[in-house]
Amino acid sequence: MFSNIVVAVDGSEHAAHAIATACDIAGKYDSNIHLVHSPQVDTVGFAVGSGAYVLEPGPERIKAAGQKVMDEAATLSKKQGRAPKTTTIGNGDPAKEILNCAEANDADLIVMGRRGLGTMGNLFLGSVSGKVSHETTCACLTVK
């Protein structure tokens, strides 16, 4: 029924549950697991006099943070008995990165946490899981 399962990860507890759920399903159907992560930049703002200064982490720090999340997700997947076939670390909009990964790996199912480590923008623009579930052409499972 499911040959390729894409799992969206962000380092949250809900993402860990998504990995466990996907690995359980993959074990039943002998499916491939594909992990995808898109690091989000947290900026820090400083008020300086009448102006403001925004400090963003550099590309190396973002890449290292993304790799750490992916390494932890891959380790968790292996502990659940399903080593990931692919791991993808994107650098764009998380919903688009998940959808691109699903398309690239001919996914039958996307599994993601219902709540993750989203930014304040999600309050105004909608959640990643909502965007993915509306735009995907395959089955989509959100877990809590």
Side-chain angles (χ1 to χ4, degrees):
M1 180 173 221
F2 301 112
S3 298
N4 291 292
I5 301 173
V6 167
V7 186
V9 298
D10 64 2
S12 70
E13 186 177 323
H14 290 281
H17 191 192
I19 292 169
T21 301
C23 288
D24 182 56
I25 294 168
K28 290 177 173 65
Y29 294 102
D30 195 29
S31 311
N32 295 313
I33 294 288
H34 305 273
L35 300 176
V36 60
H37 173 58
S38 184
Q40 296 302 289
V41 178
D42 286 330
T43 58
V44 177
F46 298 99
V48 181
S50 62
Y53 178 75
V54 177
L55 178 64
E56 294 185 15
E60 298 84 20
R61 189 167 173 202
I62 295 169
K63 183 177 179 181
Q67 190 62 56
K68 182 177 186 264
V69 168
M70 185 57 74
D71 290 346
E72 290 170 357
T75 297
L76 183 56
S77 182
K78 289 174 192 171
K79 284 181 182 178
Q80 297 287 330
R82 304 304 293 189
K85 183 170 184 179
T86 64
T87 58
T88 303
I89 301 175
N91 61 2
D93 173 64
K96 288 181 183 176
E97 294 290 345
I98 295 164
L99 292 165
N100 289 342
C101 182
E103 185 177 338
N105 292 292
D106 196 26
D108 308 295
L109 176 64
I110 299 171
V111 181
M112 67 190 108
R114 201 171 130 217
R115 296 292 305 161
L117 300 175
T119 63
M120 285 295 289
N122 286 342
L123 294 174
F124 304 105
L125 302 173
S127 71
V128 172
S129 59
K131 289 179 187 178
V132 171
S133 66
H134 283 99
E135 296 183 29
T136 188
T137 58
C138 68
C140 187
L141 173 64
T142 55
V143 298
K144 195 171 176 184

